[in-house]
Amino acid sequence: MRPFVYTQAQNPQEALSAATANETAKYLGGGTNLIDLMKEDVERPTELIEVADLKFNEIKPNSRGGFTLGAMANNSDTANHPDIRKNYPLLSMAMLSAATAQIRNMATNGGNLLQRTRCPYFYETSMPCNKRETGTGCGARNGMNALHAIFGWNDHCVAVHPSDMCVALAAIGANVQVQQANGQLRTIDFSDFHRLPGDRPEKDTNLQPGELITAIELPKPVFSDHYYYLKIRERSSYAFALISVAAGLQMQSGTIANAGLAMGGVAHKPWKLTDVEKYLKGKKPSQSTFEEAAELAMKDAKPLEDNKYKVEMGKKAIVRALTQAYERGA
Ligand SMILES: Cc1cc2nc3c(=O)[nH]c(=O)nc-3n(C[C@H](O)[C@H](O)[C@H](O)COP(=O)(O)OP(=O)(O)OC[C@H]3O[C@@H](n4cnc5c(N)ncnc54)[C@H](O)[C@@H]3O)c2cc1C
Ligand code: SF4
């Protein structure tokens, strides 16, 4: 590992000032992703600014009738918090499907949003990778791409976003609160937080340099009865999703009043299925409705050489997640 300076910020302003003064500095949350990447020589910050101890670790009601999750609260405390389990069980279920208890105890909510892709070419420094080193090419585009994207990719990058938590946040419709270098707060709609590769595949999000994530804002809960997070993976623990589906349904008199639906493992960002949510609104739940929803969700899929299986798997996963969500609260 390369040498770096360690700075312990006592308050947000200290953290922001340190980040503004050194453009190769990085914030350090629980370190469960960043330190691994530094050991692999993929990330090379010259300074780590410790933010995990800043006082943004509360989980509390907010003015939207929802809840605020502090960015520095850890994933275990968030997923197991009684208010989150009761009001946002979809989020708890997704978070508890990730990694292991030990990693969730260390991982912060802010760090989870910014965890980097698990594309093997990104981790292997002898291989070309535009995300790790601009202009070197994409090893996965014509290489081993069974785990990669079927939506939103281009020749610059075909990677997928790895977080389970983020798929549930996309389905629920969250916001991200950040503090800018000048101390001002900015709110980013969750669907605009992560980005597609475009011609800047090294950029995973629309955060500006030095911005500090302080909180995640959840809207008024509407999917607390009918919800399901389906994660399909190569083994049942300690593995990232091949495909995942976060499904929430709000039922009124036997009809779907609202749907929240997003997929993981299919794109460079959590893939919110806005058209499918609209399609489901006002429908009676049934096998055929859910199958039509799945067809609609997958109609623009563009699989790569090795991941054609994701299209059929995605359809089946959507039908199963919606069925489980509906039956769970019925
Ligand atoms: C073996 C293993 C298995 C895993 N399995 C899964 C899985 O199945 N599903 C899943 O979703 N995840 C999985 N993970 C990933 C894990 O969830 C992430 O590593 C974790 O959430 C990152 O949080 P952290 O606080 O440790 O972030 P860090 O590693 O500290 O930081 C990650 C990034 O976020 C930045 N950052 C941190 N906090 C802030 C902030 N407040 N503001 C701005 N920038 C910030 C850092 O600079 C860094 O760039 C796994 C990890 C491991 C090691
Ligand atoms: S898919 Fe993206 S992360 Fe993977 S090799 Fe290509 S550019 Fe790198």
Side-chain angles (χ1 to χ4, degrees), residues 26-36 43 51 71-72 75 97-99 103 106-108 110-112 114-115 118 162-165 207 211-213 231 238-240:
K26 285 225 150 209
Y27 295 127
L28 177 66
T32 60
N33 189 218
L34 181 55
I35 301 291
D36 278 2
E43 295 270 16
V51 295
M72 285 61 171
N75 287 180
S97 76
I103 291 167
M106 287 300 294
T108 61
N112 193 312
L114 296 186
Q115 62 173 293
R118 293 281 159 168
S163 164
D164 292 296
M165 177 184 191
L207 277 183
E211 281 187 326
L212 177 70
I213 303 174
K231 178 172 177 177
Y238 220 49
F240 289 86

Side-chain angles (χ1 to χ4, degrees), residues 184-218:
Q184 288 195 330
L185 291 178
R186 182 163 88 95
T187 301
I188 309 172
D189 190 280
F190 199 74
S191 50
D192 297 328
F193 184 79
H194 297 97
R195 59 188 295 286
L196 292 176
D199 56 4
R200 298 286 308 275
E202 75 282 6
K203 265 173 75 70
D204 295 341
T205 70
N206 288 314
L207 277 183
Q208 298 302 313
E211 281 187 326
L212 177 70
I213 303 174
T214 57
I216 299 161
E217 298 284 346
L218 304 179

Side-chain angles (χ1 to χ4, degrees), residues 204-285:
D204 295 341
T205 70
N206 288 314
L207 277 183
Q208 298 302 313
E211 281 187 326
L212 177 70
I213 303 174
T214 57
I216 299 161
E217 298 284 346
L218 304 179
K220 195 167 180 269
V222 291
F223 304 130
S224 41
D225 292 331
H226 298 273
Y227 63 90
Y228 200 73
Y229 186 71
L230 177 66
K231 178 172 177 177
I232 301 175
R233 47 189 154 174
E234 285 174 329
R235 49 175 195 270
S236 60
S237 153
Y238 220 49
F240 289 86
L242 294 174
I243 289 235
S244 67
V245 179
L249 297 174
Q250 184 187 22
M251 300 300 302
Q252 256 167 27
S253 315
T255 298
I256 300 169
N258 264 307
L261 205 60
M263 295 183 84
V266 294
H268 196 259
K269 59 188 283 188
W271 198 245
K272 187 162 173 69
L273 299 170
T274 309
D275 287 348
V276 186
E277 291 173 349
K278 284 188 194 142
Y279 164 82
L280 287 168
K281 208 168 169 171
K283 298 267 184 328
K284 298 260 182 220

Side-chain angles (χ1 to χ4, degrees), residues 117 119-122 128-132 137-141 148 155-160 201 268:
T117 184
C119 171
Y121 296 89
F122 177 67
C129 172
N130 287 326
K131 189 177 278 299
R132 176 170 30 77
C138 171
R141 174 65 186 89
H148 292 71
D155 287 345
H156 297 305
C157 181
V158 295
V160 295
H268 196 259

